[in-house]
Amino acid sequence: MTSEQPDPAATTDEIRLLWSGHEPGPARRGPRPKLTRSEVVAAAVRLADAEGIEAVSMQRVAAALGYTTMSLYRYVDSKDDLLLLMSDAAMDTTPPGPREDGDWRAGLEEWCMGGVALYRAHPWMVRLSVTGPPSGPNGIRWMEAGLREICAPGLRPSEAVQMLLILTTVLRETLRMESDMQQAAHRHGQQISDNESDWVQGLLGVLDPGAFPTVTRVLGQLGTDEDEFGGLDLDSERVSGPAEGLGFGIDRILDGIEAYVGRRAAD
Amino acid sequence: MTSEQPDPAATTDEIRLLWSGHEPGPARRGPRPKLTRSEVVAAAVRLADAEGIEAVSMQRVAAALGYTTMSLYRYVDSKDDLLLLMSDAAMDTTPPGPREDGDWRAGLEEWCMGGVALYRAHPWMVRLSVTGPPSGPNGIRWMEAGLREICAPGLRPSEAVQMLLILTTVLRETLRMESDMQQAAHRHGQQISDNESDWVQGLLGVLDPGAFPTVTRVLGQLGTDEDEFGGLDLDSERVSGPAEGLGFGIDRILDGIEAYVGRRAAD
DNA sequence: ACTTAATTGTGTAAGTAATACACAGAACTA
DNA sequence: TAGTTCTGTGTATTACTTACACAATTAAGT
């Protein structure tokens, strides 16, 4: 566990940064830059994909490009800016949809699966602290796709934004736990599947059933016959771990939206 | 935005750490320790409460206690361990409940409000990366209280754990965004309420309505007559910002649980 | 009482990382 | 050609965590 000290640029600055062109202007005075901001960001993304976000230091990124550390600061104001640009750059894929048949629920499920794929492709993304809703071009593209589906059943604007934010949050955080556990397991040479039950077994060995009756009962029943997940299988690869239940959770959130719009339509 | 490199102890070690007594054993050989682990953790928590998590360095904590930096390592193996202990220590309050009337939904709402209060009291908590489900004594106490309510409608164990995790995740992340925005606003001397609309206004100024029709429409309608939040008002202080919609989101998740158990009961 | 062993708080220093600053050279402008 | 501006580099500063050795301190063993 490590802390972070987010120094979030004001939203306005953030937007300016993310939407400013990455390519060099036409003809400026000094020596022409040998790199572009996009190249720097791309190198950082490659590094993060390959070795994880903790490998992304200004030194490493510069070395990967064959330049000195300080040269990067000609393209990026700070490391925080670089990370911000990275997280938008990594979303440079086409989100699912649009769904033609108007089945908003299926559309949102597809959108979520797309998100899972995205986070699996760039596991480091879930480790960056998000300052707020998406602000970059690619993030907005994903938001557009998601909003298109979630607005279909007739949510009000604030409601749609809020629920979409919740969906991405749940996705993100669930996958972050999965990735944390994988890292921990890897570091200790264990299997991943062992790790979740490690938590359960470790707790059961420590907890006093008298003091925590519900927790001990519930943990004790996990994975027994009393227990079986219903719901959508978002995690097609069937990796065990927290993401196992992600589909169920998403399903319940969609249930909630459905119930709400149904109730409202009844009035 | 800043990265973090979580070095999560294996779950087992984490549990051992969190459940190991904080007080000194009876009589050991050398000079008797002048501090206790609890005191160190408490000092760190006080510091984080007062100045934010970024103020918590081994130096600062030691100075607050009147000792040298290195002395802390007699009580704590690493800073990561300290942060882990802090996050459990901060949950040292009694969670709401138990609800006697069996109204699980009201019970969960209360539980969530308790969580909001907790995170508001220790805003730095939302900035620590959580490696997984709660593992410490206090975290488990909160989990016990939450599970008690969420199991009432008859969810299966995995389902209950998953949904409770989702509730806390949504709580946490929503409040983290709120806190990020407050920090950003504070740093720039703006009002908080300006800040969310900063995001909206900033985006609207940049987005091409042709390319992002849904986003521009939805953002444009935010806060107009078309738009009005229904649902639970979790945020009694009515601070504007992301937490404004938190109650609505929680409500929908509870709707989802209700719909699910209702459907299952029908079989 | 006296030796031995363990343990505390401290000082020093190593290692990593972000980034401020100045400078030499490059390339455009006038 | 002179002047100006921008690039990449080298150096240095700052802030951190934490390894390690040491002297002082206390209990255990005799």
Side-chain angles (χ1 to χ4, degrees):
Chain A
M1 185 192 285
T2 305
S3 70
E4 39 189 288
Q5 78 251 43
D7 193 354
T11 325
T12 303
D13 298 345
E14 192 177 305
I15 294 174
R16 203 184 352 261
L17 169 67
L18 287 167
W19 289 83
S20 67
H22 284 202
E23 303 317 318
R28 299 219 304 256
R29 210 167 252 201
R32 61 185 63 91
K34 302 195 180 94
L35 292 171
T36 63
R37 174 178 285 177
S38 303
E39 286 177 276
V40 172
V41 173
V45 168
R46 275 193 305 272
L47 190 56
D49 285 345
E51 301 189 41
I53 194 65
E54 72 275 6
V56 177
S57 68
M58 299 304 267
Q59 258 176 347
R60 291 291 313 273
V61 175
L65 289 163
Y67 288 80
T68 59
T69 308
M70 289 311 293
S71 65
L72 298 192
Y73 287 92
R74 296 287 175 199
Y75 301 94
V76 154
D77 277 349
S78 68
K79 188 184 179 184
D80 278 357
D81 278 10
L82 175 59
L83 293 174
L84 206 57
L85 291 164
M86 285 173 67
S87 60
D88 195 68
M91 292 193 285
D92 186 16
T93 44
T94 310
R99 184 93 189 179
E100 302 292 351
D101 62 3
D103 184 346
W104 62 268
R105 185 158 176 155
L108 275 179
E109 284 173 5
E110 283 176 14
W111 188 81
C112 288
M113 288 195 290
V116 170
L118 188 68
Y119 285 135
R120 288 262 164 79
H122 307 288
W124 48 269
M125 285 186 71
V126 299
R127 299 217 134 80
L128 299 179
S129 67
V130 213
T131 289
S135 300
N138 291 324
I140 293 292
R141 277 193 17 254
W142 277 80
M143 195 186 183
E144 170 76 21
L147 272 186
R148 202 165 38 207
E149 306 299 331
I150 209 172
C151 283
L155 289 184
R156 280 182 274 255
S158 302
E159 297 170 346
V161 171
Q162 179 70 19
M163 292 313 292
L164 201 64
L165 215 54
I166 285 183
L167 280 178
T168 59
T169 295
V170 168
L171 232 79
R172 241 184 109 88
E173 291 302 301
T174 306
L175 291 179
R176 191 166 66 77
M177 286 190 196
E178 176 186 89
S179 138
D180 277 352
M181 285 189 165
Q182 280 178 357
Q183 272 201 6
H186 200 260
R187 221 181 292 268
H188 292 257
Q190 305 163 344
Q191 299 301 325
I192 303 152
S193 48
D194 292 340
N195 211 283
E196 196 189 6
S197 75
D198 262 8
W199 176 67
V200 175
Q201 294 307 321
L203 278 183
L204 286 179
V206 159
L207 292 185
D208 169 18
F212 305 106
T214 319
V215 175
T216 46
R217 178 174 55 75
V218 167
L219 292 189
Q221 288 176 349
L222 273 185
T224 66
D225 294 349
E226 314 289 328
D227 191 46
E228 188 174 308
F229 261 122
L232 173 67
D233 185 10
L234 259 187
D235 187 11
S236 54
E237 297 167 35
R238 233 43 192 118
V239 183
S240 79
E244 202 177 355
L246 177 57
F248 179 80
I250 300 282
D251 247 9
R252 297 294 73 70
I253 297 175
L254 299 184
D255 273 0
I257 298 175
E258 200 167 321
Y260 175 71
V261 298
R263 213 164 42 218
R264 265 204 12 197
D267 297 343
Chain B
M1 182 193 286
T2 305
S3 71
E4 37 186 291
Q5 77 250 45
D7 192 354
T11 325
T12 303
D13 298 345
E14 191 178 306
I15 293 175
R16 205 185 349 261
L17 168 68
L18 287 167
W19 290 84
S20 68
H22 283 202
E23 303 317 318
R28 298 221 305 260
R29 209 167 257 197
R32 56 185 66 90
K34 302 197 179 91
L35 292 171
T36 63
R37 174 177 287 176
S38 304
E39 286 177 277
V40 172
V41 173
V45 168
R46 274 195 304 273
L47 190 56
D49 286 344
E51 301 188 42
I53 194 63
E54 71 277 8
V56 177
S57 69
M58 299 305 265
Q59 260 176 346
R60 293 291 313 272
V61 175
L65 288 163
Y67 289 80
T68 59
T69 309
M70 290 309 293
S71 65
L72 298 191
Y73 286 92
R74 297 288 175 197
Y75 301 94
V76 154
D77 277 349
S78 68
K79 188 185 179 183
D80 278 358
D81 278 11
L82 175 60
L83 293 174
L84 207 55
L85 291 165
M86 285 173 68
S87 60
D88 194 68
M91 291 192 284
D92 186 17
T93 45
T94 310
R99 185 92 187 179
E100 302 292 352
D101 63 3
D103 185 345
W104 63 268
R105 185 157 177 157
L108 276 179
E109 284 174 5
E110 284 177 13
W111 188 82
C112 288
M113 288 195 290
V116 170
L118 189 67
Y119 285 134
R120 288 259 166 81
H122 307 288
W124 48 270
M125 286 187 69
V126 301
R127 300 215 134 82
L128 297 179
S129 67
V130 213
T131 288
S135 300
N138 291 324
I140 293 292
R141 277 191 17 253
W142 278 81
M143 194 185 183
E144 170 76 22
L147 272 186
R148 204 165 37 208
E149 306 299 331
I150 209 174
C151 284
L155 289 185
R156 281 183 273 254
S158 301
E159 297 170 346
V161 171
Q162 179 69 20
M163 293 314 291
L164 200 64
L165 216 53
I166 285 183
L167 279 178
T168 58
T169 295
V170 167
L171 232 78
R172 240 185 109 88
E173 291 303 302
T174 306
L175 291 180
R176 191 167 65 77
M177 286 190 195
E178 177 188 88
S179 138
D180 279 352
M181 285 188 164
Q182 279 179 357
Q183 272 201 6
H186 200 259
R187 220 181 294 267
H188 292 257
Q190 304 163 344
Q191 298 302 325
I192 302 151
S193 48
D194 293 341
N195 210 283
E196 195 188 7
S197 74
D198 263 8
W199 176 67
V200 175
Q201 294 308 321
L203 278 182
L204 286 179
V206 158
L207 292 185
D208 169 20
F212 306 105
T214 318
V215 175
T216 47
R217 179 174 53 78
V218 167
L219 292 189
Q221 288 177 349
L222 273 185
T224 65
D225 294 348
E226 314 289 330
D227 191 46
E228 189 172 308
F229 261 123
L232 172 68
D233 186 10
L234 260 188
D235 189 10
S236 53
E237 295 167 36
R238 233 43 193 121
V239 183
S240 77
E244 203 177 355
L246 177 57
F248 178 81
I250 300 282
D251 248 8
R252 297 295 74 70
I253 296 176
L254 298 184
D255 272 0
I257 297 176
E258 200 167 321
Y260 175 70
V261 297
R263 213 164 42 217
R264 264 202 17 195
D267 298 343

